[in-house]
Amino acid sequence: MWPDIILMRDFYSTSLGYVVRSIIRGRIRELWPDVRGKNVMAIGYATPFLRPIREEAERLVVVMPADQGALSWSRKTPNVVTLADEYQLPIADKAIDYVLLTHTLEYTPHVKEVLREAWRVLNDGGRLIVVVPNRRSLWASVEKTPFGQGMPYTNTQIKSLLRENMFTPIHIRNCLFVPPAKSRLVISTSSVWEKLGVRWFRKLSGAIVCEASKQVYGAIPTEEVAWSEKLKLARPLMQPSKTTHSSSD
């Protein structure tokens, strides 16, 4: 079940939410330090993690799942957010260099279809990053955060899932060791928690960030979607957002 997108936005507007976005954004940048000249697509509620990518990428598209709803990123910049089914993307085959999946695999009932769509739109040298909650963490048991809802994963489970869907895991980063508490002391010492967690408690991280490459052999054909239908879905990419809300970055 998808959480309310307004609650997602409100969480990332809190002090704890800013800590979370900074930590996960940092791990993503470690894996993708330079996306200049690249076409990037994000699926799910990904805008808290995309500021550096937005400033560098040749093109950026953020697809927010239709069952959850969409929020425009900022009224001060051109709209890059569209609303579509996460398992039927309005993007041509092999049009994307990098795909980022955040706050998606733990909620969607169409896990395999989402990964097949990511595979389809990636070019043959494309890379995928998946961010999911860690099943073994304290975060997975706190329902008041986006990481405490839906289906969490372990490192082994997410790597197996990617392999089963034509991706080869390359790197995995465990992060978010700071406790899910609003205490000023906890928030102010988040960097210390991260250093200690990476060194001593890696399996207890709140989030798993896994990078994988697209396998270009053994592909499983998927059902073709008429181009007329894809163009209908793609229209929001070429028009200003009509949403009344905006999310902070």
Side-chain angles (χ1 to χ4, degrees):
M1 180 177 178
W2 293 93
D4 191 304
I5 197 167
I6 301 300
L7 296 178
M8 298 276 280
R9 180 199 64 184
D10 290 348
F11 170 77
Y12 280 105
S13 297
T14 66
S15 298
L16 182 60
Y18 272 94
V19 168
V20 172
R21 73 167 67 193
S22 176
I23 290 171
I24 294 179
R25 183 189 291 169
R27 301 297 82 75
I28 293 170
R29 288 298 280 177
E30 284 179 7
L31 298 171
W32 293 349
D34 187 353
V35 297
R36 285 175 291 185
K38 302 296 184 180
N39 294 327
V40 181
M41 180 178 68
I43 305 172
Y45 192 74
T47 50
F49 316 119
L50 291 175
R51 182 188 293 173
I53 291 175
R54 180 181 63 181
E55 295 170 355
E56 290 181 0
E58 179 74 18
R59 292 181 180 85
L60 173 63
V61 177
V62 181
V63 178
M64 293 193 178
D67 286 343
Q68 183 178 59
L71 292 173
S72 62
W73 191 341
S74 171
R75 293 172 180 167
K76 298 178 182 179
T77 58
N79 182 47
V80 297
V81 176
T82 188
L83 188 69
D85 290 324
E86 71 278 11
Y87 52 89
Q88 186 172 301
L89 302 174
I91 304 292
D93 295 356
K94 299 184 180 182
I96 303 296
D97 299 298
Y98 294 151
V99 170
L100 174 65
L101 266 172
T102 64
H103 293 311
T104 301
L105 292 186
E106 63 265 42
Y107 301 128
T108 181
H110 309 284
V111 172
K112 290 185 177 181
E113 291 84 353
V114 170
L115 290 173
R116 287 183 182 181
E117 277 292 87
W119 189 97
R120 179 185 66 78
V121 302
L122 277 170
N123 63 34
D124 288 346
R127 297 292 179 91
L128 169 74
I129 283 182
V130 173
V131 182
V132 292
N134 183 2
R135 180 181 298 277
R136 294 177 173 147
S137 73
L138 182 60
W139 283 85
S141 63
V142 179
E143 295 183 357
K144 293 183 179 180
T145 79
F147 299 89
Q149 303 175 47
M151 175 69 73
Y153 295 83
T154 64
N155 287 15
T156 300
Q157 288 171 338
I158 196 63
K159 288 190 288 186
S160 296
L161 179 64
L162 291 171
R163 290 191 185 101
E164 290 168 3
N165 290 277
M166 300 176 292
F167 288 96
T168 300
I170 303 173
H171 300 109
I172 197 159
R173 298 285 188 272
N174 291 84
C175 63
L176 200 59
F177 295 96
V178 58
K182 297 180 181 180
S183 164
R184 289 186 180 181
L185 177 61
V186 169
I187 291 172
S188 65
T189 56
S190 59
S191 60
V192 176
W193 285 98
E194 291 303 300
K195 291 177 182 178
L196 291 175
V198 169
R199 186 175 179 85
W200 301 108
F201 311 108
R202 188 165 298 178
K203 292 184 178 180
L204 300 179
S205 67
I208 299 169
V209 181
C210 185
E211 182 186 29
S213 62
K214 174 181 176 177
Q215 292 180 3
V216 293
Y217 54 87
I220 300 173
T222 58
E223 182 180 355
E224 288 292 328
V225 179
W227 269 106
S228 60
E229 293 301 315
K230 288 186 178 181
L231 289 174
K232 289 178 184 178
L233 290 170
R235 284 173 186 166
L237 297 178
M238 300 177 283
Q239 298 177 352
S241 172
K242 295 182 179 180
T243 56
T244 57
H245 302 285
S246 63
S247 61
S248 60
D249 62 354

Short mmCIF file of all heavy atoms in Angstrom, two decimals, residues 8 11-12 16-32 45-53 100-103 106 129-134 139 145-147 173-178 190 194 205-210:
data_model
loop_
_atom_site.label_atom_id
_atom_site.label_comp_id
_atom_site.label_asym_id
_atom_site.label_seq_id
_atom_site.Cartn_x
_atom_site.Cartn_y
_atom_site.Cartn_z
N MET A 8 4.85 11.95 2.89
CA MET A 8 6.24 11.79 2.45
C MET A 8 6.92 13.15 2.38
O MET A 8 8.04 13.34 2.88
CB MET A 8 6.28 11.11 1.09
CG MET A 8 5.70 9.72 1.05
SD MET A 8 6.87 8.46 1.55
CE MET A 8 7.80 8.27 0.05
N PHE A 11 7.54 14.55 5.89
CA PHE A 11 8.66 13.91 6.59
C PHE A 11 9.99 14.52 6.15
O PHE A 11 10.85 14.84 6.98
CB PHE A 11 8.67 12.41 6.35
CG PHE A 11 9.94 11.74 6.84
CD1 PHE A 11 10.11 11.49 8.19
CD2 PHE A 11 10.95 11.40 5.96
CE1 PHE A 11 11.29 10.91 8.67
CE2 PHE A 11 12.12 10.81 6.42
CZ PHE A 11 12.29 10.57 7.78
N TYR A 12 10.17 14.68 4.85
CA TYR A 12 11.44 15.19 4.35
C TYR A 12 11.61 16.70 4.58
O TYR A 12 12.67 17.25 4.28
CB TYR A 12 11.61 14.84 2.87
CG TYR A 12 12.06 13.42 2.68
CD1 TYR A 12 11.19 12.43 2.24
CD2 TYR A 12 13.37 13.05 2.95
CE1 TYR A 12 11.60 11.11 2.09
CE2 TYR A 12 13.80 11.74 2.80
CZ TYR A 12 12.92 10.79 2.37
OH TYR A 12 13.34 9.49 2.23
N LEU A 16 14.79 15.65 10.96
CA LEU A 16 15.22 14.29 10.72
C LEU A 16 15.19 13.96 9.23
O LEU A 16 16.09 13.28 8.71
CB LEU A 16 14.33 13.31 11.49
CG LEU A 16 14.68 11.83 11.37
CD1 LEU A 16 16.09 11.56 11.88
CD2 LEU A 16 13.66 10.98 12.14
N GLY A 17 14.18 14.45 8.53
CA GLY A 17 14.09 14.21 7.09
C GLY A 17 15.25 14.82 6.33
O GLY A 17 15.76 14.21 5.38
N TYR A 18 15.71 15.99 6.76
CA TYR A 18 16.86 16.62 6.11
C TYR A 18 18.12 15.80 6.34
O TYR A 18 18.99 15.71 5.46
CB TYR A 18 17.04 18.05 6.60
CG TYR A 18 16.24 19.05 5.81
CD1 TYR A 18 14.97 19.45 6.23
CD2 TYR A 18 16.74 19.60 4.63
CE1 TYR A 18 14.22 20.36 5.50
CE2 TYR A 18 16.00 20.51 3.89
CZ TYR A 18 14.75 20.88 4.33
OH TYR A 18 14.01 21.77 3.60
N VAL A 19 18.24 15.19 7.50
CA VAL A 19 19.39 14.32 7.77
C VAL A 19 19.33 13.10 6.85
O VAL A 19 20.35 12.70 6.25
CB VAL A 19 19.40 13.88 9.25
CG1 VAL A 19 20.40 12.75 9.47
CG2 VAL A 19 19.74 15.05 10.15
N VAL A 20 18.15 12.51 6.72
CA VAL A 20 17.98 11.33 5.87
C VAL A 20 18.33 11.66 4.43
O VAL A 20 19.07 10.92 3.76
CB VAL A 20 16.54 10.79 5.97
CG1 VAL A 20 16.32 9.68 4.94
CG2 VAL A 20 16.27 10.28 7.37
N ARG A 21 17.80 12.76 3.91
CA ARG A 21 18.06 13.10 2.51
C ARG A 21 19.55 13.36 2.27
O ARG A 21 20.10 12.97 1.24
CB ARG A 21 17.22 14.29 2.06
CG ARG A 21 17.64 15.63 2.60
CD ARG A 21 16.97 16.77 1.87
NE ARG A 21 15.54 16.83 2.10
CZ ARG A 21 14.71 17.58 1.38
NH1 ARG A 21 15.18 18.28 0.37
NH2 ARG A 21 13.43 17.61 1.67
N SER A 22 20.22 13.98 3.24
CA SER A 22 21.64 14.26 3.09
C SER A 22 22.45 12.97 3.06
O SER A 22 23.37 12.82 2.23
CB SER A 22 22.11 15.15 4.24
OG SER A 22 23.50 15.36 4.19
N ILE A 23 22.12 12.03 3.93
CA ILE A 23 22.87 10.77 4.00
C ILE A 23 22.68 9.94 2.74
O ILE A 23 23.65 9.48 2.12
CB ILE A 23 22.43 9.97 5.25
CG1 ILE A 23 22.91 10.67 6.52
CG2 ILE A 23 22.98 8.54 5.19
CD1 ILE A 23 22.34 10.08 7.80
N ILE A 24 21.44 9.76 2.32
CA ILE A 24 21.17 8.93 1.13
C ILE A 24 21.68 9.61 -0.13
O ILE A 24 22.25 8.96 -1.02
CB ILE A 24 19.67 8.61 1.04
CG1 ILE A 24 19.26 7.72 2.23
CG2 ILE A 24 19.35 7.92 -0.29
CD1 ILE A 24 17.80 7.36 2.27
N ARG A 25 21.49 10.93 -0.21
CA ARG A 25 22.02 11.66 -1.36
C ARG A 25 23.53 11.48 -1.46
O ARG A 25 24.08 11.32 -2.57
CB ARG A 25 21.67 13.14 -1.22
CG ARG A 25 22.09 14.01 -2.39
CD ARG A 25 21.89 15.47 -2.05
NE ARG A 25 20.49 15.84 -1.93
CZ ARG A 25 20.09 17.01 -1.44
NH1 ARG A 25 20.95 17.89 -0.98
NH2 ARG A 25 18.80 17.28 -1.38
N GLY A 26 24.21 11.47 -0.33
CA GLY A 26 25.65 11.28 -0.33
C GLY A 26 26.06 9.93 -0.87
O GLY A 26 27.04 9.81 -1.61
N ARG A 27 25.32 8.87 -0.50
CA ARG A 27 25.66 7.54 -0.99
C ARG A 27 25.39 7.43 -2.49
O ARG A 27 26.14 6.77 -3.21
CB ARG A 27 24.84 6.47 -0.24
CG ARG A 27 25.03 6.43 1.26
CD ARG A 27 26.43 6.08 1.71
NE ARG A 27 27.33 7.24 1.69
CZ ARG A 27 27.32 8.22 2.59
NH1 ARG A 27 26.45 8.22 3.57
NH2 ARG A 27 28.19 9.20 2.49
N ILE A 28 24.33 8.07 -2.96
CA ILE A 28 24.05 8.05 -4.40
C ILE A 28 25.16 8.76 -5.16
O ILE A 28 25.63 8.28 -6.21
CB ILE A 28 22.68 8.71 -4.68
CG1 ILE A 28 21.54 7.84 -4.10
CG2 ILE A 28 22.47 8.92 -6.18
CD1 ILE A 28 20.18 8.50 -4.13
N ARG A 29 25.64 9.86 -4.63
CA ARG A 29 26.70 10.61 -5.31
C ARG A 29 28.03 9.86 -5.28
O ARG A 29 28.87 10.02 -6.18
CB ARG A 29 26.87 11.98 -4.68
CG ARG A 29 25.74 12.93 -5.00
CD ARG A 29 25.65 13.19 -6.49
NE ARG A 29 26.60 14.18 -6.95
CZ ARG A 29 26.77 14.56 -8.22
NH1 ARG A 29 26.06 13.97 -9.16
NH2 ARG A 29 27.66 15.47 -8.55
N GLU A 30 28.24 9.04 -4.28
CA GLU A 30 29.43 8.20 -4.28
C GLU A 30 29.42 7.25 -5.48
O GLU A 30 30.47 7.00 -6.09
CB GLU A 30 29.50 7.38 -2.99
CG GLU A 30 29.92 8.17 -1.76
CD GLU A 30 29.94 7.29 -0.52
OE1 GLU A 30 29.75 6.06 -0.66
OE2 GLU A 30 30.12 7.83 0.58
N LEU A 31 28.25 6.75 -5.81
CA LEU A 31 28.13 5.79 -6.90
C LEU A 31 28.02 6.49 -8.25
O LEU A 31 28.49 5.95 -9.27
CB LEU A 31 26.90 4.91 -6.66
CG LEU A 31 26.96 4.05 -5.39
CD1 LEU A 31 25.61 3.37 -5.14
CD2 LEU A 31 28.06 3.00 -5.50
N TRP A 32 27.38 7.66 -8.28
CA TRP A 32 27.25 8.44 -9.51
C TRP A 32 27.84 9.83 -9.29
O TRP A 32 27.12 10.82 -9.12
CB TRP A 32 25.78 8.58 -9.90
CG TRP A 32 25.11 7.30 -10.31
CD1 TRP A 32 25.70 6.10 -10.57
CD2 TRP A 32 23.70 7.11 -10.51
NE1 TRP A 32 24.76 5.17 -10.91
CE2 TRP A 32 23.52 5.75 -10.89
CE3 TRP A 32 22.60 7.94 -10.40
CZ2 TRP A 32 22.26 5.24 -11.16
CZ3 TRP A 32 21.33 7.43 -10.68
CH2 TRP A 32 21.17 6.08 -11.06
N TYR A 45 9.19 8.52 -5.04
CA TYR A 45 9.39 9.82 -4.41
C TYR A 45 10.89 10.04 -4.25
O TYR A 45 11.49 9.66 -3.24
CB TYR A 45 8.67 9.89 -3.07
CG TYR A 45 8.61 11.31 -2.53
CD1 TYR A 45 7.75 12.23 -3.11
CD2 TYR A 45 9.44 11.73 -1.50
CE1 TYR A 45 7.70 13.54 -2.65
CE2 TYR A 45 9.39 13.03 -1.04
CZ TYR A 45 8.52 13.93 -1.61
OH TYR A 45 8.48 15.22 -1.17
N ALA A 46 11.49 10.65 -5.26
CA ALA A 46 12.95 10.74 -5.34
C ALA A 46 13.49 12.15 -5.25
O ALA A 46 14.71 12.35 -5.13
CB ALA A 46 13.43 10.11 -6.65
N THR A 47 12.64 13.16 -5.30
CA THR A 47 13.13 14.54 -5.38
C THR A 47 14.04 14.97 -4.23
O THR A 47 14.93 15.79 -4.45
CB THR A 47 11.95 15.52 -5.51
OG1 THR A 47 10.98 15.25 -4.49
CG2 THR A 47 11.29 15.39 -6.87
N PRO A 48 13.90 14.43 -3.00
CA PRO A 48 14.84 14.85 -1.96
C PRO A 48 16.30 14.51 -2.25
O PRO A 48 17.21 15.09 -1.64
CB PRO A 48 14.35 14.09 -0.71
CG PRO A 48 12.91 13.83 -0.97
CD PRO A 48 12.84 13.57 -2.44
N PHE A 49 16.55 13.59 -3.17
CA PHE A 49 17.90 13.09 -3.41
C PHE A 49 18.50 13.58 -4.73
O PHE A 49 19.61 13.18 -5.08
CB PHE A 49 17.90 11.56 -3.41
CG PHE A 49 17.08 10.96 -2.30
CD1 PHE A 49 15.99 10.15 -2.59
CD2 PHE A 49 17.38 11.21 -0.98
CE1 PHE A 49 15.22 9.59 -1.58
CE2 PHE A 49 16.61 10.67 0.04
CZ PHE A 49 15.53 9.87 -0.25
N LEU A 50 17.81 14.44 -5.46
CA LEU A 50 18.19 14.69 -6.85
C LEU A 50 18.81 16.05 -7.14
O LEU A 50 19.13 16.32 -8.30
CB LEU A 50 16.95 14.52 -7.74
CG LEU A 50 16.41 13.10 -7.89
CD1 LEU A 50 15.11 13.12 -8.69
CD2 LEU A 50 17.43 12.21 -8.57
N ARG A 51 18.98 16.90 -6.16
CA ARG A 51 19.46 18.26 -6.47
C ARG A 51 20.76 18.26 -7.26
O ARG A 51 20.86 18.92 -8.31
CB ARG A 51 19.61 19.10 -5.21
CG ARG A 51 20.06 20.53 -5.53
CD ARG A 51 20.39 21.31 -4.26
NE ARG A 51 19.22 21.54 -3.46
CZ ARG A 51 19.28 22.08 -2.23
NH1 ARG A 51 20.46 22.41 -1.71
NH2 ARG A 51 18.18 22.28 -1.56
N PRO A 52 21.83 17.56 -6.84
CA PRO A 52 23.07 17.58 -7.62
C PRO A 52 22.88 17.01 -9.02
O PRO A 52 23.48 17.48 -9.98
CB PRO A 52 24.04 16.72 -6.79
CG PRO A 52 23.45 16.69 -5.42
CD PRO A 52 21.98 16.75 -5.62
N ILE A 53 22.05 15.98 -9.13
CA ILE A 53 21.80 15.37 -10.44
C ILE A 53 21.05 16.32 -11.35
O ILE A 53 21.34 16.42 -12.55
CB ILE A 53 21.04 14.04 -10.25
CG1 ILE A 53 21.96 13.00 -9.58
CG2 ILE A 53 20.51 13.52 -11.59
CD1 ILE A 53 21.29 11.70 -9.24
N LEU A 100 17.10 5.74 -11.15
CA LEU A 100 17.09 5.72 -9.69
C LEU A 100 15.71 5.31 -9.21
O LEU A 100 14.71 5.93 -9.56
CB LEU A 100 17.45 7.11 -9.15
CG LEU A 100 17.35 7.29 -7.62
CD1 LEU A 100 18.39 6.42 -6.91
CD2 LEU A 100 17.52 8.76 -7.25
N LEU A 101 15.67 4.25 -8.40
CA LEU A 101 14.41 3.74 -7.83
C LEU A 101 14.42 3.99 -6.33
O LEU A 101 15.19 3.37 -5.59
CB LEU A 101 14.29 2.24 -8.08
CG LEU A 101 13.52 1.76 -9.31
CD1 LEU A 101 13.71 0.26 -9.48
CD2 LEU A 101 12.04 2.08 -9.18
N THR A 102 13.58 4.88 -5.84
CA THR A 102 13.50 5.15 -4.41
C THR A 102 12.05 5.15 -3.97
O THR A 102 11.16 5.61 -4.68
CB THR A 102 14.12 6.51 -4.04
OG1 THR A 102 13.36 7.56 -4.65
CG2 THR A 102 15.55 6.61 -4.52
N HIS A 103 11.80 4.62 -2.76
CA HIS A 103 10.45 4.56 -2.21
C HIS A 103 9.47 3.98 -3.23
O HIS A 103 8.39 4.52 -3.46
CB HIS A 103 9.99 5.94 -1.75
CG HIS A 103 10.75 6.48 -0.58
ND1 HIS A 103 10.96 5.74 0.57
CD2 HIS A 103 11.38 7.67 -0.39
CE1 HIS A 103 11.66 6.46 1.43
NE2 HIS A 103 11.94 7.61 0.87
N GLU A 106 9.44 -1.15 -2.16
CA GLU A 106 8.83 -1.59 -0.90
C GLU A 106 7.31 -1.42 -0.90
O GLU A 106 6.62 -1.99 -0.05
CB GLU A 106 9.44 -0.85 0.29
CG GLU A 106 9.22 0.65 0.32
CD GLU A 106 10.38 1.41 -0.28
OE1 GLU A 106 10.90 0.96 -1.33
OE2 GLU A 106 10.76 2.46 0.27
N ILE A 129 20.19 2.36 -9.70
CA ILE A 129 20.37 2.41 -8.25
C ILE A 129 19.00 2.20 -7.60
O ILE A 129 18.02 2.85 -7.95
CB ILE A 129 20.97 3.73 -7.77
CG1 ILE A 129 22.48 3.77 -8.05
CG2 ILE A 129 20.75 3.92 -6.26
CD1 ILE A 129 23.17 5.04 -7.56
N VAL A 130 18.96 1.27 -6.65
CA VAL A 130 17.76 0.97 -5.89
C VAL A 130 18.00 1.35 -4.44
O VAL A 130 19.02 0.97 -3.86
CB VAL A 130 17.39 -0.52 -5.99
CG1 VAL A 130 16.24 -0.85 -5.06
CG2 VAL A 130 17.05 -0.90 -7.42
N VAL A 131 17.08 2.11 -3.86
CA VAL A 131 17.15 2.47 -2.44
C VAL A 131 15.94 1.85 -1.75
O VAL A 131 14.79 2.13 -2.12
CB VAL A 131 17.13 4.00 -2.23
CG1 VAL A 131 17.24 4.33 -0.74
CG2 VAL A 131 18.26 4.66 -3.01
N VAL A 132 16.19 0.98 -0.78
CA VAL A 132 15.11 0.30 -0.07
C VAL A 132 15.40 0.28 1.43
O VAL A 132 16.56 0.38 1.85
CB VAL A 132 14.93 -1.17 -0.56
CG1 VAL A 132 14.41 -1.20 -1.98
CG2 VAL A 132 16.23 -1.95 -0.44
N PRO A 133 14.37 0.15 2.27
CA PRO A 133 14.59 0.01 3.72
C PRO A 133 15.19 -1.36 4.04
O PRO A 133 14.90 -2.35 3.37
CB PRO A 133 13.19 0.16 4.32
CG PRO A 133 12.25 -0.17 3.21
CD PRO A 133 12.93 0.21 1.94
N ASN A 134 16.02 -1.38 5.07
CA ASN A 134 16.67 -2.61 5.52
C ASN A 134 15.77 -3.35 6.52
O ASN A 134 15.37 -2.78 7.55
CB ASN A 134 18.01 -2.27 6.17
CG ASN A 134 18.79 -3.50 6.60
OD1 ASN A 134 18.36 -4.64 6.40
ND2 ASN A 134 19.93 -3.28 7.22
N TRP A 139 14.64 1.34 11.78
CA TRP A 139 13.81 2.16 10.91
C TRP A 139 12.63 1.38 10.33
O TRP A 139 11.54 1.92 10.15
CB TRP A 139 14.65 2.73 9.76
CG TRP A 139 15.51 3.87 10.14
CD1 TRP A 139 16.76 3.80 10.70
CD2 TRP A 139 15.21 5.27 10.01
NE1 TRP A 139 17.25 5.06 10.93
CE2 TRP A 139 16.33 5.98 10.50
CE3 TRP A 139 14.13 5.98 9.52
CZ2 TRP A 139 16.37 7.37 10.51
CZ3 TRP A 139 14.17 7.37 9.53
CH2 TRP A 139 15.27 8.04 10.02
N THR A 145 7.78 6.86 9.68
CA THR A 145 8.72 7.29 8.64
C THR A 145 8.44 6.48 7.37
O THR A 145 7.85 5.39 7.43
CB THR A 145 10.18 7.06 9.06
OG1 THR A 145 10.53 5.67 8.88
CG2 THR A 145 10.41 7.46 10.50
N PRO A 146 8.87 6.96 6.21
CA PRO A 146 8.66 6.21 4.96
C PRO A 146 9.37 4.86 4.94
O PRO A 146 9.03 4.00 4.14
CB PRO A 146 9.25 7.14 3.89
CG PRO A 146 9.21 8.50 4.50
CD PRO A 146 9.46 8.30 5.96
N PHE A 147 10.35 4.65 5.81
CA PHE A 147 11.12 3.41 5.83
C PHE A 147 10.46 2.34 6.71
O PHE A 147 10.93 1.20 6.74
CB PHE A 147 12.54 3.68 6.32
CG PHE A 147 13.30 4.62 5.43
CD1 PHE A 147 13.24 6.00 5.64
CD2 PHE A 147 14.05 4.15 4.38
CE1 PHE A 147 13.92 6.88 4.81
CE2 PHE A 147 14.74 5.01 3.54
CZ PHE A 147 14.66 6.39 3.75
N ARG A 173 25.73 -0.12 -0.69
CA ARG A 173 26.06 0.79 0.40
C ARG A 173 24.99 0.69 1.48
O ARG A 173 23.81 0.88 1.21
CB ARG A 173 26.15 2.24 -0.09
CG ARG A 173 27.23 2.50 -1.13
CD ARG A 173 28.60 2.52 -0.51
NE ARG A 173 29.62 2.95 -1.45
CZ ARG A 173 30.28 2.16 -2.27
NH1 ARG A 173 30.00 0.86 -2.28
NH2 ARG A 173 31.19 2.64 -3.10
N ASN A 174 25.40 0.39 2.70
CA ASN A 174 24.48 0.44 3.84
C ASN A 174 24.64 1.79 4.52
O ASN A 174 25.75 2.23 4.80
CB ASN A 174 24.81 -0.69 4.82
CG ASN A 174 24.46 -2.05 4.26
OD1 ASN A 174 25.24 -2.65 3.53
ND2 ASN A 174 23.29 -2.54 4.58
N CYS A 175 23.53 2.46 4.76
CA CYS A 175 23.59 3.79 5.35
C CYS A 175 22.36 4.03 6.21
O CYS A 175 21.48 3.17 6.32
CB CYS A 175 23.69 4.86 4.26
SG CYS A 175 22.27 4.94 3.15
N LEU A 176 22.29 5.17 6.82
CA LEU A 176 21.21 5.58 7.72
C LEU A 176 21.26 4.79 9.04
O LEU A 176 20.38 4.01 9.36
CB LEU A 176 19.85 5.41 7.04
CG LEU A 176 18.69 6.21 7.64
CD1 LEU A 176 19.00 7.70 7.62
CD2 LEU A 176 17.40 5.95 6.87
N PHE A 177 22.35 5.01 9.76
CA PHE A 177 22.53 4.35 11.05
C PHE A 177 22.02 5.22 12.21
O PHE A 177 21.89 4.74 13.32
CB PHE A 177 24.01 4.03 11.27
CG PHE A 177 24.55 3.04 10.29
CD1 PHE A 177 25.21 3.46 9.14
CD2 PHE A 177 24.37 1.68 10.48
CE1 PHE A 177 25.70 2.54 8.22
CE2 PHE A 177 24.85 0.75 9.56
CZ PHE A 177 25.52 1.19 8.43
N VAL A 178 21.74 6.48 11.93
CA VAL A 178 21.20 7.36 12.96
C VAL A 178 19.82 6.83 13.36
O VAL A 178 19.04 6.41 12.51
CB VAL A 178 21.10 8.81 12.44
CG1 VAL A 178 20.24 8.89 11.20
CG2 VAL A 178 20.60 9.75 13.51
N SER A 190 24.50 12.89 13.83
CA SER A 190 24.21 11.92 12.77
C SER A 190 25.47 11.45 12.06
O SER A 190 25.59 10.27 11.69
CB SER A 190 23.24 12.52 11.76
OG SER A 190 23.77 13.69 11.16
N GLU A 194 26.81 7.54 11.58
CA GLU A 194 27.13 6.94 10.28
C GLU A 194 28.51 6.30 10.28
O GLU A 194 28.70 5.19 9.78
CB GLU A 194 27.04 7.99 9.17
CG GLU A 194 25.64 8.48 8.87
CD GLU A 194 24.71 7.35 8.49
OE1 GLU A 194 24.97 6.65 7.49
OE2 GLU A 194 23.69 7.15 9.20
N SER A 205 21.79 -1.09 9.18
CA SER A 205 21.52 0.20 8.55
C SER A 205 20.04 0.38 8.26
O SER A 205 19.31 -0.60 8.02
CB SER A 205 22.31 0.32 7.24
OG SER A 205 21.81 -0.60 6.29
N GLY A 206 19.58 1.63 8.25
CA GLY A 206 18.18 1.89 7.96
C GLY A 206 17.84 1.74 6.49
O GLY A 206 16.71 1.40 6.14
N ALA A 207 18.81 1.99 5.62
CA ALA A 207 18.57 1.93 4.18
C ALA A 207 19.68 1.17 3.47
O ALA A 207 20.82 1.14 3.93
CB ALA A 207 18.45 3.35 3.60
N ILE A 208 19.31 0.57 2.36
CA ILE A 208 20.25 -0.12 1.48
C ILE A 208 20.25 0.59 0.14
O ILE A 208 19.18 0.83 -0.45
CB ILE A 208 19.85 -1.59 1.28
CG1 ILE A 208 19.84 -2.34 2.62
CG2 ILE A 208 20.79 -2.28 0.29
CD1 ILE A 208 19.20 -3.72 2.54
N VAL A 209 21.43 0.97 -0.33
CA VAL A 209 21.59 1.61 -1.63
C VAL A 209 22.40 0.66 -2.50
O VAL A 209 23.58 0.44 -2.25
CB VAL A 209 22.29 2.97 -1.50
CG1 VAL A 209 22.44 3.64 -2.86
CG2 VAL A 209 21.53 3.88 -0.53
N CYS A 210 21.77 0.11 -3.52
CA CYS A 210 22.42 -0.91 -4.35
C CYS A 210 22.47 -0.45 -5.80
O CYS A 210 21.44 -0.08 -6.39
CB CYS A 210 21.67 -2.23 -4.25
SG CYS A 210 22.47 -3.61 -5.12
#
